[in-house]
Amino acid sequence: MKKWDYILIASLTIISVVWIIIILRGQSSGEKVIVKLNDKVIYTALLNEDSEYLIKTGNDYNNLVIKDGEAYIDDANCKGLDCVRMGHISRDGESIICIPHSVIVTVESDKDNNIDFVSE
Amino acid sequence: MYKKTAFLGLFACLALIFSYVEAIVPLPIPVPGVKLGLANVLIVICLYTYGVKEAVAINFVRIILLAVLFANPYSFIYSLAGAVISMALMYPLYKSKGFSIIGVSVAGAVGHNTAQILTAMAVTGIVKLIDYLPVLIISGIITGLIIGIIGRIILPQLKKIDLERVKS
Ligand SMILES: [Zn+2]
């Protein structure tokens, strides 16, 4: 290995680690779960209330579970099952995406809406 | 000449097998569509044995065949973006002589992963996916190190089998 190899690897590692620390410190937990189908909001739920919702279009389905303050897809019939493997989300801004079914599940905090409400 | 064609065909074929295995085995980081880019080991070896034109050519053949095999337009966009960015970073480092094959393949793997995240962001419209980038840079460093080390072991062996004659 040459000198520049070490410089490249070291700087990339440092940037990534600092970046990850910044991301982890900046995340606050969210309150709302929002389900979008083809960019339209079709369902909203609270993260602190356990529930289940079947996102269904034709033969396509994704089953959304909200349990113990976390949201996840436990079952779906899409190719690859990326949405199921994306696991549990609970923090503000985190998403589960099912590209084949055009479904996006996002956790958001209520704070933005409250500020709007107060200013009106 | 014939030998070179045969070798390039073999490289493209092996690269395709790597991509195929990768497409079946899912990544522990589940960003939709993102792959490790193990096929880059063949591209790096080709870059060092034949040159940039040949490396780009076998990569392009691999991507076309992959798209045909999987009939998946997304796979095509992801692989193409990964290949272009990865070579755009590897080639200047390869030319500069300041880097060994390990630095070159780390740059290639990190470039590949960055391109994949940017593609996922463009395809899904979710800017938040950029949060996965630092994790994928680290995984790119690891993949790049492994590819570079494999390349360093294989290259002298390839040279032994009379590459000068293979080249002509
Ligand atoms: Zn899915």
Side-chain angles (χ1 to χ4, degrees):
Chain A
M1 271 171 84
K2 294 182 183 171
K3 190 180 84 180
W4 282 100
D5 291 338
Y6 292 107
I7 295 172
L8 176 75
I9 292 165
S11 47
L12 283 173
T13 308
I14 292 165
I15 291 169
S16 307
V17 169
V18 170
W19 193 346
I20 290 170
I21 291 168
I22 291 170
I23 289 170
L24 290 180
R25 290 185 64 175
Q27 280 178 335
S28 56
S29 61
E31 286 98 42
K32 274 191 310 188
V33 180
I34 293 162
V35 179
K36 281 187 193 168
L37 180 68
N38 293 314
D39 278 337
K40 286 196 190 81
V41 176
I42 56 158
Y43 180 72
T44 321
L46 289 171
L47 197 57
N48 57 11
E49 287 173 14
D50 291 1
S51 64
E52 268 192 49
Y53 178 69
L54 187 68
I55 306 153
K56 204 168 175 3
T57 37
N59 290 325
D60 297 348
Y61 73 89
N62 302 67
N63 192 45
L64 171 71
V65 179
I66 301 170
K67 198 167 179 283
D68 304 327
E70 291 183 328
Y72 58 96
I73 306 281
D74 75 333
D75 189 24
N77 63 345
C78 57
K79 196 168 172 262
L81 293 175
D82 276 319
C83 52
V84 177
R85 287 194 296 114
M86 286 184 88
H88 297 220
I89 56 170
S90 61
R91 291 179 176 277
D92 184 19
E94 280 188 317
S95 313
I96 297 170
I97 305 136
C98 182
I99 293 183
H101 293 176
S102 304
V103 168
I104 300 174
V105 179
T106 318
V107 170
E108 283 180 16
S109 90
D110 262 334
K111 288 174 194 115
D112 307 340
N113 294 351
N114 289 344
I115 291 162
D116 280 2
F117 183 72
V118 171
S119 65
E120 265 172 31
Chain B
M1 178 60 206
Y2 292 120
K3 250 185 174 177
K4 181 181 169 182
T5 313
F7 262 87
L8 289 179
L10 187 68
F11 279 2
C13 180
L14 282 172
L16 183 68
I17 292 170
F18 275 57
S19 306
Y20 184 76
V21 170
E22 223 173 46
I24 300 168
V25 181
L27 262 189
I29 308 155
V31 184
V34 172
K35 300 292 167 210
L36 270 180
L38 297 175
N40 208 37
V41 70
L42 278 310
I43 310 305
V44 170
I45 289 171
C46 188
L47 178 68
Y48 274 83
T49 47
Y50 291 111
V52 67
K53 263 184 281 173
E54 287 81 355
V56 168
I58 64 163
N59 213 2
F60 197 65
V61 168
R62 171 188 72 91
I63 291 165
I64 297 284
L65 290 177
L66 202 62
V68 172
L69 274 179
F70 284 93
N72 180 354
Y74 283 124
S75 124
F76 180 73
I77 302 167
Y78 278 94
S79 337
L80 194 64
V84 169
I85 304 279
S86 150
M87 187 50 83
L89 290 176
M90 286 198 295
Y91 186 60
L93 298 200
Y94 163 73
K95 274 281 159 192
S96 79
K97 304 290 175 199
F99 296 86
S100 77
I101 190 169
I102 291 176
V104 168
S105 72
V106 165
V110 169
H112 173 269
N113 289 1
T114 306
Q116 302 241 307
I117 281 290
L118 294 178
T119 310
M121 285 166 69
V123 168
T124 61
I126 297 171
V127 181
K128 198 76 187 163
L129 284 180
I130 200 152
D131 283 359
Y132 287 106
L133 188 52
V135 180
L136 277 160
I137 290 176
I138 290 176
S139 96
I141 294 169
I142 296 165
T143 316
L145 278 172
I146 295 168
I147 288 174
I149 291 165
I150 293 173
R152 208 166 59 173
I153 296 166
I154 289 178
L155 273 179
Q157 305 299 321
L158 273 179
K159 296 240 159 77
K160 256 189 225 162
I161 52 172
D162 204 358
L163 205 78
E164 278 316 305
R165 256 174 56 198
V166 175
K167 221 173 180 176
S168 56

